[in-house]
Amino acid sequence: MLTVACALIGSACWLTIATSIGLPVSTTHSIVGGTISAGIAAGGASGVIWGWNGVSQIIASWFITPVLARCIAAVVFIISKLLVLKVKSLERSIKNALLLVGFLVFATFSILTMLIVWEGSPNLHLDNLSGTETAVSIILTGAVACAVYLIFFYPYYRRKILDQDWTLKLVDILRGPVFYFKSTDNIPPMPEGHELTIDYYEGRRVEEETPRTEDEENKIADTVSSSSTDNILREAKDATVQETNLVKIEYSAEEKMTTRQYWWSLLKQGPKNGLC
């Protein structure tokens, strides 16, 4: 009990310090490190299971998980890109997107069920299930969740977005099956300024520039020309100042030389610097 308390205190202190200075830390990594350290302090290094059934498996998962997550994310993005983003027809693209959500619902609930079956509470006795029963429970749970989406949510959003039925409210999701058979001819015209969905890009778009008149173009050209001239004059002045400073530096260096050193340096420079 004391060992666990020390591990919790150590990980909590580290998380507090790291968070206060803005370090990207992981709670899982911290508690694992705290537990290992507390175990070593309590019973020595021999009291920690370093093999694959212990610490090694945890550390390996830290490297394997990002790679697998990257691969899965890449597959999902490619599918979304081909079925939704690359489709030229807007109507077809929206339909594909809504159907793709059903697939994602199936995958999400299946994965969550798998985690519950494998890592759930021992009181549920889920570890007594056979391999076939586990697979069936995982697929069945995902299928039920996907069916709920296709029966209630999919027809609701299809009618609201594609058919632009602005009269629908969130509670109308319960009427989802009806929308498969309900005609769209009786949808009233949408009022001006009404938005079907929330515009999350509002205030973040770059406003399109209005076409400039000929006078405005001439003013801009004159401004650019004058600014370019000013820049050229300024650069020439800066170059002159730099040359003057360079000459001063050379003169100051030459003043420190003896006569013999000065003439010897001129001989080394050659005729390009005005010796001959």
Side-chain angles (χ1 to χ4, degrees):
M1 190 69 180
L2 178 61
T3 305
V4 176
C6 292
L8 291 174
I9 294 173
S11 61
C13 291
W14 165 243
L15 287 173
T16 302
I17 295 172
T19 304
S20 63
I21 60 179
L23 292 178
V25 292
S26 170
T27 305
T28 304
H29 294 183
S30 300
I31 193 63
V32 169
T35 303
I36 294 174
S37 301
I40 293 175
S46 59
V48 179
I49 302 176
W50 299 100
W52 182 251
N53 293 327
V55 177
S56 298
Q57 188 175 13
I58 297 175
I59 296 176
S61 67
W62 295 345
F63 296 93
I64 297 173
T65 301
V67 177
L68 292 179
R70 178 185 297 181
C71 295
I72 295 173
V75 171
V76 174
F77 178 78
I78 291 173
I79 294 174
S80 303
K81 183 178 180 180
L82 295 177
L83 297 181
V84 179
L85 301 179
K86 289 293 186 178
V87 177
K88 295 182 179 180
S89 173
L90 179 60
E91 181 179 357
R92 184 72 262 173
S93 176
I94 294 175
K95 286 183 178 179
N96 290 347
L98 293 176
L99 291 174
L100 183 61
V101 172
F103 167 76
L104 296 178
V105 169
F106 171 81
T108 302
F109 277 83
S110 298
I111 293 172
L112 292 176
T113 304
M114 179 182 65
L115 294 176
I116 293 174
V117 171
W118 286 352
E119 303 293 339
S121 173
N123 296 328
L124 298 176
H125 304 290
L126 297 177
D127 52 349
N128 296 329
L129 297 176
S130 63
T132 303
E133 292 174 340
T134 301
V136 170
S137 62
I138 292 172
I139 296 175
L140 187 60
T141 303
V144 170
C146 182
V148 171
Y149 168 79
L150 293 176
I151 293 173
F152 295 98
F153 291 88
Y154 173 75
Y156 168 80
Y157 283 108
R158 188 184 67 173
R159 185 178 180 88
K160 183 174 183 178
I161 298 175
L162 286 180
D163 301 331
Q164 296 187 351
D165 190 350
W166 61 276
T167 62
L168 293 181
K169 298 181 180 180
L170 193 61
V171 70
D172 291 325
I173 292 178
L174 299 176
R175 299 169 54 205
V178 178
F179 297 143
Y180 276 110
F181 311 100
K182 191 174 182 180
S183 175
T184 59
D185 297 334
N186 57 351
I187 298 177
M190 186 168 56
E192 185 177 356
H194 182 79
E195 295 182 355
L196 289 173
T197 57
I198 300 175
D199 187 3
Y200 292 99
Y201 290 96
E202 184 178 1
R204 297 180 176 87
R205 293 189 181 90
V206 178
E207 296 183 359
E208 297 181 358
E209 297 182 356
T210 56
R212 299 190 183 98
T213 61
E214 186 176 354
D215 294 337
E216 292 176 345
E217 293 289 348
N218 293 333
K219 289 181 180 179
I220 294 174
D222 294 339
T223 303
V224 172
S225 178
S226 60
S227 62
S228 300
T229 304
D230 294 340
N231 291 334
I232 293 173
L233 294 175
R234 190 180 298 108
E235 290 175 359
K237 183 178 179 180
D238 294 339
T240 304
V241 172
Q242 291 178 359
E243 290 179 359
T244 304
N245 294 334
L246 182 60
V247 171
K248 290 181 179 179
I249 293 173
E250 290 179 352
Y251 284 162
S252 61
E254 291 170 358
E255 290 175 356
K256 296 179 182 179
M257 296 180 183
T258 62
T259 304
R260 181 179 297 177
Q261 291 174 341
Y262 172 71
W263 287 107
W264 182 247
S265 64
L266 291 180
L267 288 173
K268 287 183 177 180
Q269 293 175 7
K272 291 184 179 180
N273 292 310
L275 180 61
C276 299

